[in-house]
Amino acid sequence: MASDWNDIPDEEFRSIFRTWVDQNCPSHLRYMRKQRPLFNEVAVWYHALAAKGWLAPTWPRQYGGMGLSAAKHMIYVEEWGRLGCPRIPDHGIGLVGPLLIEYGSEEQKAHYLPRILSGEHVWCQGYSEPNAGSDLASLQTSAVLDGDEFVVNGQKIWTTLAHCANWIFVLVRTERDAKVRQKGITVLLLDLTSPGVRVRPIANLRGEADFCEVFFDNVRVPLKNLVGKINEGWTVAKSVLGHERIFLGAPTRPEYALERLRRLADARGAFEDPAFMSRFARLRLDLYDLGSAFERYAKVLRAGGELGAGVSALKIFTTELYQRITEEMLTVAGEEARLADDLAAGDVEIDAMNLFLDSRSPAIFGGSNEIQRNILAKAVLRLPG
Amino acid sequence: MPELMLDDPDGTLVMLRDSVTGFAARFPGAKAMRERRGRGGTMDPLIWSAMAEAGWIGLLLPEECGGAGLGLREQAVLSEALGRALIAEPTGTASVFAATLLGGASPGAERSRLAAGVASGEMVAVPAWTSGAKPVVARSVNGSIALSGETRFVDAARAATDFLVVAQDADGVMLLSVAADADGVTISERVGVDGSALATISFSDCAVPADRVLSRANRSEELLRQAILHTRLALAAELTGLASKALELTIAYTSDRVQFGKPIGSFQAIQHRLVDMWIEAEFAAAAVVNAVDSLQADDVDTAELAVLAAKARAGEAAFSICRRAVHLHGAMGYTDECDIGLYLKRAINLNAMLGQPEQLRLEFVERESGYRRGRT
Ligand SMILES: Cc1cc2nc3c(=O)[nH]c(=O)nc-3n(C[C@H](O)[C@H](O)[C@H](O)COP(=O)(O)OP(=O)(O)OC[C@H]3O[C@@H](n4cnc5c(N)ncnc54)[C@H](O)[C@@H]3O)c2cc1C
């Protein structure tokens, strides 16, 4: 095994990674209909990656990660998508790990990181609240210090996979009177099995319960579960995404959807229709050019640079393209667009309605597209206001 | 919010709207939709018979058949109001389509029996006209009729007492009724996006008595054409109503929802989007009124163009308004608990029925100008 993955040429790394994943990711887990499988449903794959040492691509090797550079990490993510591997509950790997590695104490790293890798701790992200969505800084869930424990009260919502997680990293308000609302926010690691925690799954438009409400009623959290400094959690919370912001704009979803559209259209003879053909051509080139735009930002990362605010353009474009493709699927489906079920297309089933409904959400989460446009207006165009 | 603006000299239209509002208070649409989904798509007989009691199911049937003897103006207003109230029953098919077929069928005992039953709600006669893999063919066998073949996208099949079947025979097209529990009838259902059930019905040597024939060749083609015309109009009106209501709900939501210390509806980005949605709803309402007027004043060809335009416009508007409505509700809109998603799903179903917008627009242009769409 290489001492440093980053010393291997990109294409060689791609091939090593791809070969192993293709051999080891169970076929029944490929191209899962569920966007958000529960931990138990994909545990074999999770543990297989962990055993191989490939579960945490960006963590430094000393913590059991692969220590991949941004460039190699992109290859990892690309191949993962191309092989149709399922999404694993990845809040621990993708968010909590980097959070602790940057801001956590040595004791916290030693305690939590191995438990993420072993799957003992499954994490979820408690940021949003009923009255704090786009305006996250208005969050109200409170934590009051009582001796060497915080007492947490309040509510989180839209917490993805909280019903299969046993830990949550939460943003809480530790100071009410701060002049700037972003001050007075703190990050806590909270054991979901503590007394006073209640989790209620919420069914989404597709009838699946991917996200939940989480209620805290006098939940006691040890002081040592504080990450970084008290009242300074906003910076911590905002920084965890780092270079991974580029993946919000990855072409994965539209790529998959366009392939499904192609199969459906093929089976329905739609390519004989010049009107469809010209709409398909537009979608195809939008996807193609999204690849070029993605590459523009990927290059910056590969050169060791930092992503600017402009990367929001990718998120907007990819999520809206995903929607347009799935809307076209419903057009091609004709009267069958009335059905909730998957549609037969030759020897495969196309989950047109499932994808259409799913495509509603990425434009909302991860900073809604309006918020992304606001960011671009301010930070890139430098418009007044 | 945009609604159909039609002359209402004697107040009938206002009365219809009011009665739907009263009905919706008794049978809230969203609740009924969720319950129907829980039942696996079967329609609630209680709601349907209450609709019949209100005179809505037989609205288009002549009075001598037990109907209300009203016209398409009233139907459009009723359908619009049902759409607004999200009363997602199969009104387009099991009422408008069925009533048009029965109203124009050959006078006789069978027509009287069905028309009276449909109007009173004691019977549910569901039209079955879309060919499946094998079209439905009728053969004469010893004085009765044997049906074979398959028909698709049939609404409310489990609740039906009779199917109004369009079949091919030696002379052309025949319309006949088939008892839902007749031998040789197989129903297989799939779940619709809005929780309704859509059935494929197969007939295999299903024997139908000759007195069940409702109309023969020549007349049947015309009847079918009329039924499709009326149903498209009713669907366009229903879509307009639901689009307008979805917009109203979204204006209310964005006016209430506070982020960054203000209602999100005060942000110009959102205001402009809502204005665009309003314009779409406004145009949909205008297109439906144009179709209603044209059906009363113009020749059939002109009226058919107006109906094609109205169904295309209203379907597209409803789909697009509802999609954006969901988005403007944020994560709340992506939940099953929030009603706005039900409007979206209902809009998808009705929009895809009897022609999606593009198909209707192409048909319009072909008919108007004689241009045919080239195929490569
Ligand atoms: C599938 C899914 C999974 C999620 N998972 C998680 C999770 O695991 N953890 C977590 O903490 N959160 C999660 N979220 C929540 C997500 O972060 C929020 O939905 C998002 O921040 C938007 O907040 P909101 O839903 O309250 O919408 P709101 O903020 O109320 O926005 C409603 C609408 O108004 C628009 N809007 C808001 N402000 C402006 C403005 N200034 N200008 C113009 N338009 C504006 C928005 O774009 C949106 O269309 C998830 C959401 C979804 C849909």
Side-chain angles (χ1 to χ4, degrees):
Chain A
M1 187 119 326
S3 62
D4 189 340
W5 289 111
N6 298 317
D7 295 341
I8 302 180
D10 283 358
E11 286 318 302
E12 192 182 333
F13 172 72
R14 186 185 295 280
S15 144
I16 295 172
F17 183 70
R18 185 183 176 86
T19 309
W20 184 84
V21 169
D22 200 19
Q23 281 164 4
N24 289 277
C25 181
S27 57
H28 73 277
L29 295 181
R30 305 285 185 93
Y31 295 106
M32 273 181 102
R33 183 193 170 94
K34 263 194 181 173
Q35 285 290 344
R36 279 296 192 168
L38 301 179
F39 187 85
N40 289 340
E41 296 168 315
V42 290
V44 271
W45 176 226
Y46 193 98
H47 294 311
L49 283 161
K52 180 77 178 166
W54 287 6
L55 183 59
T58 59
W59 298 9
R61 296 172 71 102
Q62 67 191 100
Y63 299 120
M66 294 174 86
L68 297 187
S69 65
K72 289 283 188 307
H73 184 209
M74 268 185 298
I75 295 175
Y76 180 106
V77 173
E78 266 166 33
E79 292 305 318
W80 183 291
R82 272 193 201 138
L83 293 165
C85 304
R87 181 111 188 232
I88 48 175
D90 49 12
H91 292 99
I93 304 296
L95 298 173
V96 180
L99 183 85
L100 292 180
I101 289 164
E102 194 169 346
Y103 298 96
S105 64
E106 286 313 314
E107 192 196 344
Q108 286 173 333
K109 288 182 223 184
H111 181 77
Y112 291 103
L113 298 180
R115 287 174 173 77
I116 293 174
L117 294 175
S118 71
E120 182 188 336
H121 287 178
V122 178
W123 286 87
C124 59
Q125 177 187 18
Y127 282 19
S128 306
E129 296 181 5
N131 292 315
S134 297
D135 181 17
L136 186 57
S138 68
L139 63 93
Q140 292 300 326
T141 295
S142 71
V144 177
L145 206 49
D146 176 24
D148 58 357
E149 286 179 326
F150 287 102
V151 180
V152 177
N153 279 289
Q155 183 196 346
K156 295 293 170 181
I157 196 169
W158 319 126
T159 322
T160 298
L161 292 184
H163 53 322
C164 90
N166 45 20
W167 281 80
I168 184 170
F169 64 109
V170 275
L171 290 188
V172 292
R173 185 157 290 288
T174 34
E175 194 188 317
R176 291 222 164 262
D177 313 318
K179 285 206 186 65
V180 182
R181 293 178 313 153
Q182 281 78 355
K183 286 268 171 201
I185 290 174
T186 299
V187 179
L188 295 181
L189 308 175
L190 191 153
D191 181 348
L192 280 174
T193 62
S194 315
V197 175
R198 196 161 59 84
V199 174
R200 187 185 77 96
I202 307 171
N204 64 25
L205 271 191
R206 301 182 300 145
E208 281 171 4
D210 288 349
F211 48 27
C212 304
E213 284 179 291
V214 184
F215 301 91
F216 306 98
D217 178 15
N218 287 318
V219 178
R220 303 192 78 88
V221 179
L223 182 57
K224 67 176 187 337
N225 288 17
L226 162 72
V227 183
K229 294 201 186 110
I230 196 162
N231 291 338
E232 290 182 18
W234 184 254
T235 335
V236 178
K238 282 278 149 173
S239 74
V240 289
L241 268 184
H243 83 262
E244 303 199 16
R245 280 185 304 150
I246 196 172
F247 295 121
L248 283 171
T252 327
R253 281 188 174 90
E255 222 164 61
Y256 176 71
L258 193 77
E259 176 54 21
R260 301 269 107 184
L261 170 62
R262 197 188 56 70
R263 287 194 182 211
L264 182 68
D266 231 359
R268 297 289 187 280
F271 284 106
E272 284 163 41
D273 173 355
F276 170 75
M277 200 50 178
S278 97
R279 294 197 304 269
F280 182 84
R282 175 178 291 280
L283 296 171
R284 174 66 193 102
L285 270 82
D286 281 346
L287 178 62
Y288 184 86
D289 296 341
L290 172 60
S292 312
F294 188 80
E295 183 55 25
R296 183 181 168 94
Y297 291 88
K299 249 187 215 148
V300 174
L301 286 180
R302 273 202 296 272
E306 296 272 319
L307 287 175
V311 72
S312 285
L314 296 180
K315 196 266 178 179
I316 295 172
F317 195 92
T318 194
T319 56
E320 293 178 4
L321 176 57
Y322 182 34
Q323 297 190 331
R324 287 188 283 126
I325 294 171
T326 62
E327 284 153 25
E328 183 61 38
M329 290 176 103
L330 296 193
T331 304
V332 171
E335 183 139 15
E336 280 187 302
R338 300 175 65 192
L339 296 168
D341 288 1
D342 296 355
L343 308 178
D347 51 1
V348 287
E349 299 261 298
I350 304 292
D351 56 338
M353 188 57 71
N354 185 44
L355 290 174
F356 169 79
L357 293 173
D358 180 61
S359 73
R360 302 300 103 196
S361 67
I364 298 167
F365 64 61
S368 81
N369 287 9
E370 285 69 31
I371 297 304
Q372 306 286 347
R373 286 182 169 93
N374 286 344
I375 292 171
L376 290 171
K378 247 203 209 120
V380 178
L381 307 187
R382 309 216 175 271
L383 292 169
Chain B
M1 283 306 109
E3 66 171 14
L4 304 187
M5 289 196 287
L6 292 161
D7 292 340
D8 186 19
D10 56 0
T12 321
L13 303 184
V14 170
M15 253 168 54
L16 263 175
R17 284 194 172 114
D18 288 349
S19 64
V20 175
T21 309
F23 188 92
R26 274 202 297 152
F27 301 103
K31 180 162 169 276
M33 261 180 100
R34 292 197 170 89
E35 284 172 2
R36 183 178 63 182
R37 186 175 64 186
R39 279 194 309 272
T42 314
M43 130 186 159
D44 184 346
L46 211 71
I47 296 181
W48 193 253
S49 58
M51 288 172 73
E53 209 169 295
W56 300 340
I57 309 303
L59 184 124
L60 288 176
L61 280 168
E63 275 171 292
E64 72 269 18
C65 291
L70 295 174
L72 292 169
R73 298 175 84 72
E74 290 80 8
Q75 184 63 54
V77 166
L78 173 64
S79 290
E80 180 199 28
L82 293 173
R84 281 190 73 81
L86 202 63
I87 297 178
E89 301 303 321
T91 313
T93 43
S95 164
V96 177
F97 205 113
T100 306
L101 290 179
L102 292 171
S106 318
E110 180 60 2
R111 172 187 183 241
S112 306
R113 179 184 78 89
L114 285 168
V118 165
S120 71
E122 278 155 48
M123 294 176 195
V124 180
V126 179
W129 76 93
T130 309
S131 281
K134 287 176 300 167
V136 181
V137 175
R139 283 175 301 123
S140 287
V141 182
N142 305 329
S144 80
I145 293 158
L147 285 186
S148 288
E150 195 183 271
T151 159
R152 301 206 295 162
F153 302 115
V154 179
D155 274 327
R158 296 257 169 239
T161 53
D162 300 82
F163 297 116
L164 303 177
V165 180
V166 173
Q168 302 285 326
D169 70 0
D171 305 321
V173 175
M174 148 190 291
L175 173 70
L176 71 177
S177 75
V178 179
D181 59 2
D183 286 341
V185 175
T186 322
I187 300 173
S188 78
E189 285 185 329
R190 293 179 75 183
V191 190
V193 55
D194 59 354
S196 60
L198 295 171
T200 294
I201 300 178
S202 312
F203 303 96
S204 73
D205 276 324
C206 171
V208 185
D211 59 10
R212 291 263 169 149
V213 174
L214 290 163
S215 77
R216 300 254 174 208
N218 300 328
R219 179 77 193 125
S220 300
E221 284 87 343
E222 176 50 32
L223 264 183
L224 191 58
R225 186 173 159 175
Q226 225 176 57
I228 289 174
L229 186 69
H230 294 178
T231 308
R232 278 183 177 152
L233 177 76
L235 292 174
E238 195 172 340
L239 283 157
T240 301
L242 81 84
S244 173
K245 179 66 186 212
L247 171 60
E248 192 179 307
L249 292 172
T250 309
I251 291 173
Y253 187 81
T254 52
S255 304
D256 273 2
R257 170 75 174 162
V258 173
Q259 290 287 277
F260 306 101
K262 293 179 195 160
I264 57 175
S266 66
F267 300 127
Q268 229 167 42
I270 289 192
Q271 291 181 348
H272 286 188
R273 195 152 335 171
L274 288 166
V275 168
D276 287 343
M277 289 156 72
W278 178 84
I279 293 173
E280 283 189 74
E282 188 75 354
F283 271 61
V288 173
V289 169
N290 175 56
V292 169
D293 289 344
S294 183
L295 279 159
Q296 285 182 337
D298 302 329
D299 59 280
V300 180
D301 287 335
T302 311
E304 280 188 342
L305 290 181
V307 171
L308 286 170
K311 170 72 169 58
R313 176 69 52 187
E316 186 129 307
F319 186 31
S320 133
I321 287 170
C322 290
R323 277 191 328 248
R324 293 192 268 179
V326 163
H327 181 74
L328 291 175
H329 280 71
M332 190 61 85
Y334 190 61
T335 64
D336 184 52
E337 290 167 20
C338 180
D339 289 348
I340 201 70
L342 297 178
Y343 284 84
L344 173 63
K345 289 174 174 180
R346 184 68 179 158
I348 293 174
N349 185 353
L350 300 184
N351 179 46
M353 226 171 134
L354 281 174
Q356 290 205 19
E358 183 185 68
Q359 185 194 328
L360 301 169
R361 288 191 294 256
L362 289 168
E363 204 175 320
F364 181 106
V365 175
E366 276 177 21
R367 292 244 211 124
E368 186 187 44
S369 61
Y371 291 130
R372 293 222 132 253
R373 183 149 59 130
R375 297 222 158 220
T376 50

